[in-house]
C-alpha cells in the first residue's frame, strides 16, 4: 500500500461526500425553526453521531444559541425531565433506526415536544416519521473504509451540516466578537476576542 495515496483517497472521498450535500428548502426551514425557538436546542445521537450532536450543542452555545446534549440511552432514565415544551430537538442518525434515538423521540412526542429536526441518510428510517423537518445527508454516501463500514464520510457530512446550521444562525443573529468573547473568554480564542475588544 502507498500510504500517502491511500490517505489522499480517503480525504478526497470525504470531501466529495460533503460537496454532494443538497441544500434544499428544508435546510432553510430548519435554520428558521432554530432561530424562532423560544426554549433551548437539545441535540441527540448515539455512537459517533452522538459525538457530532454533542459538538453541535457546544458550537451553538458558544455562538449565541443556548443548547445542550442529551444521551439517548439516558433519556429514558429521567434525563427527558430536562426538556420543556418550548425546546427543539435535533437528532443525528445516519440510519435513522437507532433504537435509543427513536425511543427518545417517541418519549418527546408523549411529552408534547413535536419540534424535531432529523439529520439522516436512509430513506426508510423511522426518524423521518418522528421529525418535523428532515435534513437529508444523501442516500449514497460511500465510506472510504476498506470494509465499507466504518463511518467517516457520513460523519464528515453530519459535521458539515451541523456547522452550516450553527454558523448561519450566528450570522442571522448578528453575533459579534464581543458576544463571542463573553461566552468563550478562555484559551487562545478568548485571547483573540479580548484583543479585538481592546482594539475597539
Amino acid at each position: 500500500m502507498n500510504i500517502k495515496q491511500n490517505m489522499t483517497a480517503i480525504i478526497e472521498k470525504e470531501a466529495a461526500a460533503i460537496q454532494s450535500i443538497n441544500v434544499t428548502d428544508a435546510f432553510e426551514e430548519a435554520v428558521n425553526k432554530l432561530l424562532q425557538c423560544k426554549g433551548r436546542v437539545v441535540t441527540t445521537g448515539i455512537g459517533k453521531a452522538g459525538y457530532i450532536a454533542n459538538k453541535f450543542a457546544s458550537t451553538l452555545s458558544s455562538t449565541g444559541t443556548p443548547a445542550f446534549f442529551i444521551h439517548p440511552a439516558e433519556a429514558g432514565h429521567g434525563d427527558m425531565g430536562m426538556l420543556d415544551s418550548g425546546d427543539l430537538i435535533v437528532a443525528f442518525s445516519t440510519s435513522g433506526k437507532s433504537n435509543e434515538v427513536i425511543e427518545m423521540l417517541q418519549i418527546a412526542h408523549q411529552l408534547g415536544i413535536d419540534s424535531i429536526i432529523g439529520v439522516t441518510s436512509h430513506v426508510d428510517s423511522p426518524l423521518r416519521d418522528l421529525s418535523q423537518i428532515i435534513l437529508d445527508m444523501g442516500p449514497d454516501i460511500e465510506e472510504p473504509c476498506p470494509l465499507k463500514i466504518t463511518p467517516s464520510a457520513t460523519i464528515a457530512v453530519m459535521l458539515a451540516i451541523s456547522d452550516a446550521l450553527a454558523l448561519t444562525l450566528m450570522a442571522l443573529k448578528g453575533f459579534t466578537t464581543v458576544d463571542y468573547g463573553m461566552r468563550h473568554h478562555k484559551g487562545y480564542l478568548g485571547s483573540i476576542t479580548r484583543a479585538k475588544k481592546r482594539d475597539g
Side-chain angles (χ1 to χ4, degrees), residues 8-21 144 152-153 156-157 160:
T8 299
I10 291 168
I11 291 168
E12 287 176 348
K13 284 183 179 179
E14 293 192 2
I18 292 172
Q19 290 174 342
S20 69
I21 298 168
S152 63
V157 168

Side-chain angles (χ1 to χ4, degrees), residues 2 18 22 44 66 71 77 87 98 107 118 129-130 142 148 159 162 171 175 182 187 199:
N2 184 306
I18 292 172
N22 183 18
T44 193
H71 195 292
H77 294 270
D87 294 342
S98 300
I107 296 169
D129 298 327
L130 292 165
E142 181 184 356
K148 305 299 181 187
L159 178 61
S162 68
F175 198 75
M182 291 174 67
D199 294 342

Side-chain angles (χ1 to χ4, degrees), residues 124-144:
D124 60 344
S125 65
L127 178 59
R128 292 176 182 269
D129 298 327
L130 292 165
S131 300
Q132 192 176 34
I133 301 170
I134 282 291
L135 303 184
D136 271 303
M137 298 165 56
D140 301 311
I141 302 172
E142 181 184 356
E143 299 291 8

